Amino acid sequence: MNKFPIAFLLVILGLMGCAETPPKNTELHLQGKWLVEANGEVMLDPQTSGLKAWRGKLVSVSDGSAHVSQRKKLHIIDPESASLQAQPLKMIMSDKVEKSCFADYLADAPDLEAIAVDPRDDRVFVLVTEDATRSSGMSQACHLRYKNSGSTDYPTVLIRLELQADNTVLMTDVRPIQFAESFAVGNFPNDGIEGLSFAPDGTLYLALEKDKKSNARIFSIKIDEQFWQTEEFAQVSDPQLEFPSISSGNHPINGMDYFAVEGHKGFLIAGARNDSQLWVIDLEKKIPTKVLPLQFLAPTGNDEPNCQKWEVMDNASLEGLAVSGNTIWTINDPWKLHYMDNVQCEANRAKYSKMAPLLFSLSADPAWFE
C-alpha cells in the first residue's frame, strides 16, 4: 500500500482535555485502494462494518443495510491488492442457534457490526449485532427473559462462528449482553457496539458508539471455555480506560483492534468515524490517549486535466480497523446519504454510486506508545 508523503512534522496529540481540531498539516494522509471483486469490478455496497487480520489476509463483515449479496458472509481480502477472494465464507446456523430466541433475527438480515478473531483458535470468530428494530422481534417468553438488557429493547448479541471444512462458518452459539444500569448506556438501537477486539488472554473489548451522555465507551468481557455454555446474559465490565476530553457533539468509535507492545499489557487502536481520527488507548492506563487525525485520499486512475491522481474524500466514514504486525489497516463504510458528495473526478462517480469502499493502511509509530 503506497502512502502519501508527509511533508510536515507529525504532531502526536492526545493529552486529556484537548478538544481543539488539530491543524491540517498534522494529518496523516492515507491513500486508498478500491476494493475489487473477483470479476474485476469494485465491491458492490458491502456496508463494511468490521475488519480483522486473518491468516495473512483480512476478513470483513457487512451490516444489515448491505446489498443482499453481501450479507451473512465473511469476505476475505488480499490486503496488498485490495482484491476479494472469489468465494466468501457463508454463514450457516447450527441446530442450537436455530432453537434460540434470536434465530428469526439471525436468519433474516442481522445488523452485524464488528468482528474479532479468537487469538487462541483462528477458526473461531466473534460477531456482534446492533440494530434489530427492522426485525420481527422475539416471542413474548423470549422478550420477558431478555428485557433487562441495560440498553436496547432487543439486546445486543454476541455470535460465535467456527470455520468448517467446507469453508462455511457455523453459528455455533449466541449470547446476549447485559449492561449494568450504572453504566447509563441508554436505549439507542443504531448507536450500539461497533468495535470488537480480543487481547491475547481472551479478554474481549467492546466499543460502544455512545451512551446517554453521547460519549463513546469501551467495555470488556472474558471469553473462556465456559462462556458459550449458556444463553443467559453476559455481563460486561467497565475497564475505565481514558478517552480524549471532548466538550460536545457525537464522537463515536466505529472500529477497534488490539496492538501488542513487548513488556506491556497492550494498547487499543480505535477509529473515531465522525472525526476521522485514530485514538491510541493504553490498557495499563498510564499513558494519556493519543489522537491521530487522518485524511483519506481516493485514487482516480485518470490523467485528464480536470482530475488529480489522488483526491481528498469529503466523507470517508471510517468503520473497520485491523492490526497486522506493525501495520494498521482501515476500511470505510460508505454513508449512503453523503457518499456521492465525494465525487470530484467523474472517473470515480460509478465507484461511489456502487457504494464501493476503499482500503487504507499506515505503519504504527513507536512514539504513539510512549
Side-chain angles (χ1 to χ4, degrees):
M1 175 69 67
N2 295 325
K3 300 180 182 66
F4 192 86
I6 302 173
F8 301 94
L9 177 65
L10 171 63
V11 178
I12 305 296
L13 301 179
L15 294 177
M16 300 302 290
C18 177
E20 296 296 323
T21 300
K24 290 294 182 183
N25 61 0
T26 69
E27 291 174 331
L28 291 165
H29 289 205
L30 307 185
Q31 293 180 337
K33 289 185 178 179
W34 295 101
L35 252 67
V36 178
E37 304 266 15
N39 62 7
E41 298 293 326
V42 291
M43 194 176 189
L44 173 63
D45 191 18
Q47 294 296 293
T48 307
S49 59
L51 186 74
K52 287 293 178 288
W54 184 66
R55 297 186 177 182
K57 298 188 183 299
L58 299 172
V59 56
S60 72
V61 65
S62 299
D63 69 22
S65 64
H67 188 272
V68 65
S69 65
Q70 311 289 13
R71 299 176 195 165
K72 293 190 293 184
K73 298 173 183 176
L74 298 186
H75 305 283
I76 310 304
I77 304 166
D78 181 332
E80 296 305 320
S81 63
S83 59
L84 288 135
Q85 182 173 290
Q87 296 298 323
L89 308 181
K90 184 179 179 180
M91 300 179 198
I92 57 176
M93 286 198 291
S94 66
D95 291 342
K96 178 181 177 181
V97 172
E98 285 183 343
K99 295 174 184 176
S100 76
C101 286
F102 312 105
D104 288 347
Y105 175 49
L106 297 179
D108 185 21
D111 195 32
L112 305 173
E113 285 293 346
I115 184 172
V117 181
D118 194 318
R120 301 155 298 188
D121 185 350
D122 73 356
R123 297 172 304 163
V124 176
F125 306 88
V126 176
L127 306 181
V128 67
T129 65
E130 190 186 38
D131 187 5
T133 56
R134 292 168 293 184
S135 73
S136 59
M138 294 184 285
S139 68
Q140 184 177 6
C142 289
H143 176 70
L144 289 173
R145 181 179 179 184
Y146 296 120
K147 68 177 182 178
N148 296 318
S149 70
S151 58
T152 49
D153 295 331
Y154 195 110
T156 297
V157 178
L158 292 176
I159 307 165
R160 182 184 184 274
L161 300 179
E162 185 171 327
L163 181 66
Q164 306 297 295
D166 62 357
N167 280 332
T168 60
V169 278
L170 182 68
M171 295 185 185
T172 61
D173 303 273
V174 291
R175 193 167 178 190
I177 297 171
Q178 186 178 54
F179 300 89
E181 186 177 349
S182 61
F183 294 162
V185 168
N187 187 351
F188 304 111
N190 199 35
D191 292 287
I193 300 298
E194 289 265 348
L196 290 178
S197 180
F198 270 110
D201 65 356
T203 298
L204 182 67
Y205 291 94
L206 307 93
L208 181 81
E209 281 195 280
K210 73 173 185 180
D211 62 12
K212 286 183 177 179
K213 295 183 178 179
S214 294
N215 293 326
R217 304 279 293 278
I218 293 177
F219 298 99
S220 65
I221 195 166
K222 189 63 177 290
I223 308 288
D224 55 23
E225 293 181 358
Q226 289 74 44
F227 182 84
W228 299 107
Q229 294 180 8
T230 177
E231 290 182 6
E232 296 304 314
F233 274 123
Q235 296 183 348
V236 301
S237 301
D238 184 356
Q240 298 183 339
L241 301 174
E242 292 187 354
F243 287 81
S245 178
I246 302 171
S247 58
S248 63
N250 292 324
H251 306 270
I253 295 174
N254 292 83
M256 182 174 67
D257 206 358
Y258 174 87
F259 193 98
V261 173
E262 187 175 356
H264 191 280
K265 189 175 180 180
F267 291 77
L268 293 176
I269 310 293
R273 169 177 175 153
N274 289 10
D275 304 283
S276 293
Q277 294 174 347
L278 295 183
W279 297 351
V280 183
I281 303 170
D282 181 13
L283 290 175
E284 293 186 356
K285 297 183 281 189
K286 296 176 181 178
I287 299 173
T289 293
K290 293 181 173 65
V291 177
L292 312 175
L294 308 174
Q295 189 173 87
F296 299 97
L297 295 95
T300 65
N302 196 297
D303 295 325
E304 293 181 8
N306 61 333
C307 288
Q308 300 295 319
K309 183 178 181 181
W310 297 93
E311 55 186 19
V312 176
M313 297 180 70
D314 179 81
N315 185 285
S317 296
L318 164 66
E319 187 87 3
L321 191 150
V323 172
S324 179
N326 197 54
T327 301
I328 298 167
W329 297 93
T330 66
I331 196 168
N332 67 314
D333 174 19
W335 187 4
K336 293 181 179 180
L337 184 63
H338 293 290
Y339 209 46
M340 297 307 292
D341 296 346
N342 288 309
V343 176
Q344 300 166 55
C345 178
E346 286 299 313
N348 274 344
R349 181 176 292 277
K351 297 181 179 68
Y352 286 124
S353 66
K354 284 189 172 183
M355 299 294 142
L358 296 102
L359 185 67
F360 306 87
S361 71
L362 72 161
S363 297
D365 187 333
W368 299 353
F369 314 106
E370 299 174 350

